[in-house]
Amino acid sequence: AAASKGGGGVGFAGGRSDQGGSQHREKDLNRTSLLRLWAMSRPEYGLYVLGCVATLVVAGVGPLLFMNLTQTIVLFDNPPVVLDLATGIWEPAFDADVLASSACMVCLTMLVVGACSIVATTVQQWALHKAGERFTTRLRVAALESILRQDMTWFDLTASGTLVHTLAVD
């Protein structure tokens, strides 16, 4: 099977019709190098890094929220009154100002963590989606260019439905 002319991007092998095409196609897919694909995705490296950093931020939100929940439980776990054994009277055992400021701090922390989570998730989804979209578009354009460079006889041996399916799915 002959590779596409002109080197460069993605190529189509010619010389086969639909008979045994799936076996031939598997061999071509096995020959595709992962390093070659990474090299072709070089223009999107910045988006991949941005997406990975945002993923790390999103992954760190869960533990921060659980730490905040723990602080809330500890804050309200202390009993509000204590029994004075000498007098037998229940006396308040908390400082309302400290309790109010601690509760306010827990709420503000939760608000900031939630806002960071929303922003990081949005950035993560956008960056990885945009990188994949650009890379897929570039691969499809390279595949179409490879098809258009083929000899006329190659089109006699290759079914048009196979070409359309390859461009649409791969």
Side-chain angles (χ1 to χ4, degrees):
S4 69
K5 294 181 181 179
V10 176
F12 283 90
R16 291 230 187 210
S17 62
D18 286 339
Q19 305 154 353
S22 63
Q23 293 171 351
H24 179 67
R25 193 159 161 72
E26 281 184 30
K27 288 180 186 175
D28 285 346
L29 289 176
N30 290 338
R31 286 190 294 160
T32 302
S33 168
L34 186 59
L35 292 176
R36 180 177 175 204
L37 289 175
W38 274 110
M40 289 178 72
S41 68
R42 184 167 292 147
E44 286 82 32
Y45 280 178
L47 289 172
Y48 290 138
V49 168
L50 180 63
C52 288
V53 168
T55 300
L56 291 174
V57 171
V58 169
V61 165
L64 287 175
L65 287 176
F66 286 121
M67 286 173 42
N68 206 352
L69 180 63
T70 303
Q71 288 177 345
T72 305
I73 291 170
V74 167
L75 180 65
F76 293 109
D77 190 38
N78 297 332
V81 292
V82 175
L83 178 62
D84 184 11
L85 295 176
T87 62
I89 299 175
W90 290 93
E91 296 180 0
F94 68 93
D95 185 6
D97 293 334
V98 171
L99 187 63
S101 66
S102 297
C104 185
M105 191 59 151
V106 166
C107 290
L108 286 176
T109 304
M110 199 167 284
L111 179 70
V112 169
V113 169
C116 289
S117 174
I118 289 171
V119 170
T121 302
T122 303
V123 169
Q124 171 198 24
Q125 295 294 319
W126 175 82
L128 295 177
H129 176 78
K130 186 57 79 174
E133 178 184 341
R134 287 180 183 174
F135 182 60
T136 302
T137 301
R138 198 169 41 260
L139 284 177
R140 287 184 177 165
V141 167
L144 181 61
E145 288 173 351
S146 175
I147 289 172
L148 294 176
R149 283 193 303 263
Q150 300 298 321
D151 289 332
M152 293 301 289
T153 58
W154 184 77
F155 291 100
D156 293 336
L157 299 172
T158 307
S160 61
T162 303
L163 297 176
V164 171
H165 177 74
T166 300
L167 285 175
V169 175
D170 288 350

